[in-house]
């Protein structure tokens, strides 16, 4: 495979309309926008050997700290990595 397709989605309780995520791999650097209740896909190059793909969201949230939320989840969350697919 020479590329990988990364699929990202926001969790159901995501409090914002969208989030920008920086995707880096082997010198490739891009920013994609993930909208609430939608999947965003980005293709990144990969080379032989173990690939390293870095995802950096512009912001995070803690469900338990969101105003009006009835959620006790104290994890720091952002986007969900839902799929990684090798492409030729």
């Amino acid at each position: 495979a020479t590329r990988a397709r990364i699929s990202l989605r926001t969790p159901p309780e995501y409090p914002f309309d969208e989030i920008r995520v920086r995707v880096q791999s082997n010198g490739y650097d891009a920013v994609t926008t993930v909208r609430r209740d939608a999947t965003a896909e980005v293709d990144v190059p990969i080379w032989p050997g173990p690939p390293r793909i870095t995802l950096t969201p512009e912001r995070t949230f803690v469900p338990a700290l969101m105003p009006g939320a009835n959620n006790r989840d104290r994890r720091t969350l952002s986007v969900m990595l839902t799929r990684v697919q090798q492409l030729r």
Side-chain angles (χ1 to χ4, degrees), residues 75-87:
R75 294 177 296 162
T76 299
L77 305 177
S78 187
V79 296
M80 299 183 300
L81 175 63
T82 59
R83 185 175 184 188
V84 178
Q85 178 184 10
Q86 293 183 358
L87 305 174

Side-chain angles (χ1 to χ4, degrees), residues 8-29:
L8 303 170
R9 191 169 180 84
T10 60
E13 66 276 12
Y14 196 69
F16 311 110
D17 291 332
E18 63 184 29
I19 183 171
R20 292 169 39 101
V21 179
R22 178 175 300 279
V23 181
Q24 297 171 299
S25 171
N26 298 320
Y28 175 84
D29 191 357

Side-chain angles (χ1 to χ4, degrees), residues 1-4 25-26 44-49 51-53 85-87:
T2 59
R3 296 177 296 135
S25 171
N26 298 320
V44 299
I46 55 174
W47 280 268
R52 181 181 178 101
I53 300 171
Q85 178 184 10
Q86 293 183 358
L87 305 174

Side-chain angles (χ1 to χ4, degrees), residues 11-71:
E13 66 276 12
Y14 196 69
F16 311 110
D17 291 332
E18 63 184 29
I19 183 171
R20 292 169 39 101
V21 179
R22 178 175 300 279
V23 181
Q24 297 171 299
S25 171
N26 298 320
Y28 175 84
D29 191 357
V31 175
T32 189
T33 300
V34 183
R35 290 182 175 38
R36 188 178 349 178
D37 296 325
T39 296
E41 295 180 337
V42 71
D43 293 354
V44 299
I46 55 174
W47 280 268
R52 181 181 178 101
I53 300 171
T54 304
L55 307 173
T56 309
E58 72 176 351
R59 62 182 155 197
T60 60
F61 74 103
V62 177
L65 301 179
M66 298 307 300
N70 188 18
N71 192 328

